[in-house]
Amino acid sequence: MMLHEKTISELAAGLRAGEFSSVELTKHYLERIAAHNEALNAYVTVTEERALAQAAAADQRLVAGDATPLTGVPLAQKDIFCTNGVRTSCGSRMLDNFVAPYDATVIERLDGAGAVMLGKTNMDEFAMGSSNETSWYGPVRNPWNTELVPGGSSGGSAAALAARLCAAATGTDTGGSIRQPAALCGLTGLKPTYGRISRWGMIAFASSLDQAGPMTRTAEDAALMLQAMAGFDARDSTCAEEPVPDYSATLGEDIAGLKIGLPKEYFGEGLDPEVAKSVEAAVEEYKRLGCEVVEISLPNNHLAVPAYYVVAPAECSSNLARFDGVRFGHRCEDPKDLEDLYKRSRGEGFGAEVKRRILIGTYALSAGYYDAYYLKAQQVRHLISDDFKKAFEQVDVIMGPASPTTAFALGEKSDDPVQMYLSDIYTIAVNLAGLPGMSIPVAPAEGKPVGLQIIGNYFDETRLLNVAHRFQQATEWHKAGPSGY
Ligand code: GLN
């Protein structure tokens, strides 16, 4: 088996057994990046020197016997996480010149576990998008078919992992940005419970929704990544002070008798019939594993996208106010006066989608509209959380599609924001409620990957990971990769 075909757990075993070193493994990945990245545009920065230094240090740790399962394993980091001494662009011209002076907690923890950072991955500008077409660095292409989008906003991480240009990657998910690209690229993606992972040093889009998480080939690997990333951090006041369980310990436990809820709202109009077939076939597999399936209802799900497109822009308009060409970000040439400096710096630094969101957000927050839009959206958010609360009185997990369609063509939705926003119709409610959600690959539709979404109750990542793992023990879909890599 080629090195890049191995999962994290296989790599960890090989590294410990001395079958190969982290330096060899890292060089192998760097060569693959050199060969394939230009066509895919998945990495915006490759940190070769840093990677080789980390790999050499990891090799020493392995010899010394103080390695974690991630020690020496090459990862890709979404360019939304601040990385000390390395450009952190967030996919924006605004931060094209920004070299972070510190590491995000996520980076600090993965570094601390001994992982190797290969580079920073492309993303939709400030994580706003579902196709990775809003990046200042140009679109990312889907390795399964380069005419198609990889999904977004963690599209660079997804494409890099699908093309085996890293062993695993980080992503962030505000409305679906881990689960939807995982679905479109045939990967395992986990958005943990809000507060499970520190947001410190992760550039904020919508602070009450943003959550980091792993993108991996298997649920087993997701457990290893989450183990390193999760936990309390005093520097993020919304980070939960919940104990971190051993996520790998319960993998493989029997799931017979598990109650799965299928929301009828997730299987209605708008769902591609081919995607529906693949998701239904996956549910049949769960029945064979002894699970019980019941129909449930999430009656307010149709309000999730509209509520999100008030809450997320409102928060982003406030978070992005700091990028003014003075404190942070791109500064225009020869400003006439202060107002000109603000206007032109922001005008030049932000792309069209980001500007659209800032305008919507400031509008929704302005006097006279606040009650009508922002307050209303917050009320709807409550109703959506209550729907889930009721559902979890009845079932253990909820399943459905992660995305209404498979990967679509580049350019197909980029002129139609509403169509683009509907890509997240099954994922957004999960962020509004703060719940954990996963996407795992199931049977492809017309040769294109399909993701099954599994939603759990608060801090029930352990169960989600096991439910995903049991499926992966019984099936082979997660092993499929695009040809040519
Ligand atoms: N696609 C959604 C948006 O554009 C979600 C993005 C995300 O999760 N970061 O806002």
Side-chain angles (χ1 to χ4, degrees):
M1 190 197 266
M2 300 285 280
L3 285 180
H4 57 268
E5 286 164 10
K6 293 181 188 285
T7 61
I8 296 182
S9 40
E10 290 163 348
L11 288 174
L15 285 165
R16 271 156 209 257
E19 285 164 30
F20 46 86
S21 69
S22 176
V23 169
E24 266 171 81
L25 178 64
T26 302
K27 282 188 179 154
H28 177 72
Y29 272 115
L30 288 168
E31 277 162 26
R32 293 183 58 75
I33 294 170
H36 298 293
N37 192 51
E38 201 177 308
L40 297 172
N41 200 20
Y43 284 89
V44 289
T45 305
V46 179
T47 48
E48 185 166 344
E49 252 176 65
R50 175 176 160 138
L52 290 170
Q54 284 183 318
D59 283 331
Q60 287 185 350
R61 254 178 101 164
L62 283 154
V63 171
D66 103 77
T68 80
L70 294 185
T71 303
V73 175
L75 307 178
Q77 306 287 7
K78 186 176 183 178
D79 208 15
I80 198 167
F81 295 103
C82 285
T83 39
N84 194 0
V86 177
R87 178 179 68 176
T88 300
S89 73
C90 222
S92 181
R93 183 184 185 192
M94 186 54 96
L95 290 178
D96 183 49
N97 62 3
F98 176 60
V99 176
Y102 66 98
D103 281 326
T105 300
V106 163
I107 301 290
E108 207 176 81
R109 294 208 170 153
L110 291 169
D111 279 1
V116 171
M117 177 173 98
L118 293 166
K120 306 292 294 287
T121 55
N122 205 341
M123 54 182 284
D124 278 299
E125 186 177 10
F126 285 102
M128 298 174 198
S130 298
S131 65
N132 223 118
E133 292 169 292
T134 73
S135 169
W136 165 247
Y137 303 98
V140 175
R141 290 173 182 270
N142 189 324
W144 290 83
N145 173 344
T146 52
E147 299 304 308
L148 306 178
V149 303
S153 65
S154 312
S157 286
L161 180 57
R164 312 320 191 208
L165 307 185
C166 58
T170 51
T172 61
D173 191 313
T174 303
S177 281
I178 289 176
R179 291 161 287 160
Q180 185 255 13
L184 271 46
C185 290
L187 305 167
T188 298
L190 167 65
K191 181 206 93 76
T193 306
Y194 181 77
R196 179 70 293 185
I197 296 176
S198 169
R199 293 184 296 108
W200 197 75
M202 182 174 119
I203 296 172
F205 161 14
S207 311
S208 75
L209 302 160
D210 298 342
Q211 185 60 202
M215 302 177 80
T216 53
R217 308 250 303 276
T218 62
E220 202 177 21
D221 283 3
L224 297 174
M225 287 280 283
L226 182 63
Q227 200 72 50
M229 296 165 79
F232 180 65
D233 176 9
R235 295 170 295 191
D236 169 7
S237 61
T238 61
C239 193
E241 235 174 318
E242 283 281 313
V244 180
D246 181 342
Y247 293 113
S248 302
T250 43
L251 292 182
E253 279 186 357
D254 195 5
I255 54 170
L258 181 91
K259 277 197 166 179
I260 298 173
L262 297 184
K264 61 173 192 275
E265 293 79 8
Y266 281 20
F267 293 88
E269 211 191 317
L271 177 61
D272 179 329
E274 295 299 314
V275 172
K277 263 194 227 159
S278 296
V279 168
E280 283 156 11
V283 172
E284 285 306 312
E285 183 65 44
Y286 276 105
K287 284 191 193 159
R288 281 193 285 279
L289 291 168
C291 303
E292 194 188 318
V293 174
V294 289
E295 190 187 89
I296 58 163
S297 176
L298 299 171
N300 294 295
N301 188 64
H302 65 289
L303 300 174
V305 171
Y308 173 90
Y309 280 98
V310 173
V311 174
E315 293 185 20
C316 104
S317 70
S318 160
N319 276 325
L320 271 54
R322 75 192 68 174
F323 303 109
D324 57 5
V326 179
R327 290 170 296 175
F328 288 100
H330 167 82
R331 178 178 294 187
C332 67
E333 299 268 351
D334 304 322
K336 272 202 318 283
D337 52 32
L338 187 63
E339 192 170 322
D340 184 44
L341 174 117
Y342 286 152
K343 279 190 182 158
R344 278 202 291 127
S345 298
R346 285 171 70 81
E348 293 164 7
F350 290 135
E353 183 61 28
V354 173
K355 286 177 186 161
R356 176 166 26 239
R357 306 271 180 120
I358 293 173
L359 288 171
I360 295 170
T362 43
Y363 181 87
L365 289 176
S366 39
Y369 296 111
Y370 182 94
D371 290 359
Y373 296 109
Y374 187 72
L375 211 61
K376 200 62 166 175
Q378 293 291 17
Q379 287 164 344
V380 169
R381 191 173 180 177
H382 258 280
L383 296 177
I384 287 168
S385 301
D386 286 346
D387 284 355
F388 281 112
K389 204 181 277 170
K390 283 194 199 110
F392 283 118
E393 282 165 13
Q394 240 185 302
V395 299
D396 301 309
V397 294
I398 295 171
M399 286 188 190
S403 159
T405 66
T406 52
F408 45 91
L410 277 142
E412 190 180 319
K413 299 187 182 177
S414 41
D415 296 329
D416 189 344
V418 174
Q419 276 312 308
M420 190 69 88
Y421 296 170
L422 289 173
S423 302
D424 296 314
I425 188 157
Y426 308 125
T427 49
I428 273 181
V430 175
N431 300 74
L432 288 168
L435 293 164
M438 258 185 116
S439 177
I440 59 169
V442 295
E446 291 157 336
K448 293 186 270 179
V450 173
L452 170 76
Q453 184 174 206
I454 314 171
I455 304 166
N457 213 337
Y458 296 103
F459 297 101
D460 210 6
E461 285 81 5
T462 313
R463 191 196 310 253
L464 278 193
L465 288 162
N466 185 42
V467 168
H469 180 66
R470 292 294 288 152
F471 184 82
Q472 294 182 340
Q473 283 182 314
T475 60
E476 300 276 312
W477 304 117
H478 61 290
K479 292 191 179 153
S483 58
Y485 301 94

